[in-house]
Amino acid sequence: KAGVTQTPRYLIKTRGQQVTLSCSPISGHRSVSWYQQTPGQGLQFLFEYFSETQRNKGNFPGRFSGRQFSNSRSEMNVSTLELGDSALYLCASRLAGEGYNEQFFGPGTRLTVL
Amino acid sequence: QKEVEQNSGPLSVPEGAIASLNCTYSDRGSQSFFWYRQYSGKSPELIMFIYSNGDKEDGRFTAQLNKASQYVSLLIRDSQPSDSATYLCAMKGAGKSTFGDGTTLTVKP
């Protein structure tokens, strides 16, 4: 079974621009979560989507948003990029449902903001 | 206080030894506990999960959970140089998953 895929793998943007990252979960997985990983802050939860609805949200400004499509694929968007948004953005999927809490990560998108 | 605290590293053990990684958490509502391994420049890889008090073994890995003490650990037996990585402890309650900052393990040949 194919793993979680993320596109693009690398991205360079300038301050003020916006960016959209994409995530395709493992086949059959219905929950997708997004994380930001930086050397200083570690792995920080952004949001989780299940059945096209945001179920949980972390402590990030409104510039960070996401959505999920009917095929469980998800996108996240960051508007008005800041230098501090440079990070590895990770997507993780899980089956969802009672007892299915194991998450599997994609390879990540490395975002650099200049 | 952080929600998830991992023992500060880096941790260095000789090849063949037992590596012990520890994690404490503050949210008593946490129900599921995970250990991820992350090689430099790569994404986290799930290596163990445990939901009930006690021990869970998988090959050279043993996860231990004590909900009363809010403590979870990972033991790696017969450590190999290929085990050198950062190990992340994570937990999930009714809401989001929370990760520790990680402990970097180096296994010296």
Side-chain angles (χ1 to χ4, degrees), chain B residues 57-107:
Chain B
E57 186 174 319
D58 184 1
R60 297 186 295 110
F61 299 98
T62 299
Q64 299 173 316
L65 174 61
N66 184 325
K67 290 186 179 180
S69 300
Q70 295 174 253
Y71 173 92
V72 59
S73 67
L74 178 71
L75 299 177
I76 306 175
R77 291 182 301 282
D78 189 23
S79 295
Q80 301 296 309
S82 59
D83 295 327
S84 297
T86 296
Y87 289 80
L88 300 167
C89 168
M91 50 214 54
K92 179 172 171 42
K96 66 184 177 72
S97 295
T98 305
F99 285 75
D101 290 339
T103 299
T104 298
L105 171 68
T106 300
V107 180

Side-chain angles (χ1 to χ4, degrees), chain A residues 35 37 43 101-103 106, chain B residues 32 34 36 38 43 51 97 99:
Chain A
Y35 296 86
Q37 188 174 36
L43 203 61
N101 288 326
E102 301 93 77
Q103 289 187 107
Chain B
S32 310
F34 310 91
Y36 288 85
Q38 187 171 25
S43 62
Y51 295 169
S97 295
F99 285 75

Side-chain angles (χ1 to χ4, degrees), chain B residues 18-40:
Chain B
I18 296 176
S20 176
L21 304 163
N22 305 311
C23 181
T24 57
Y25 60 95
S26 59
D27 180 9
R28 286 192 174 275
S30 296
Q31 301 163 352
S32 310
F33 303 85
F34 310 91
W35 284 98
Y36 288 85
R37 176 176 63 200
Q38 187 171 25
Y39 292 114
S40 180

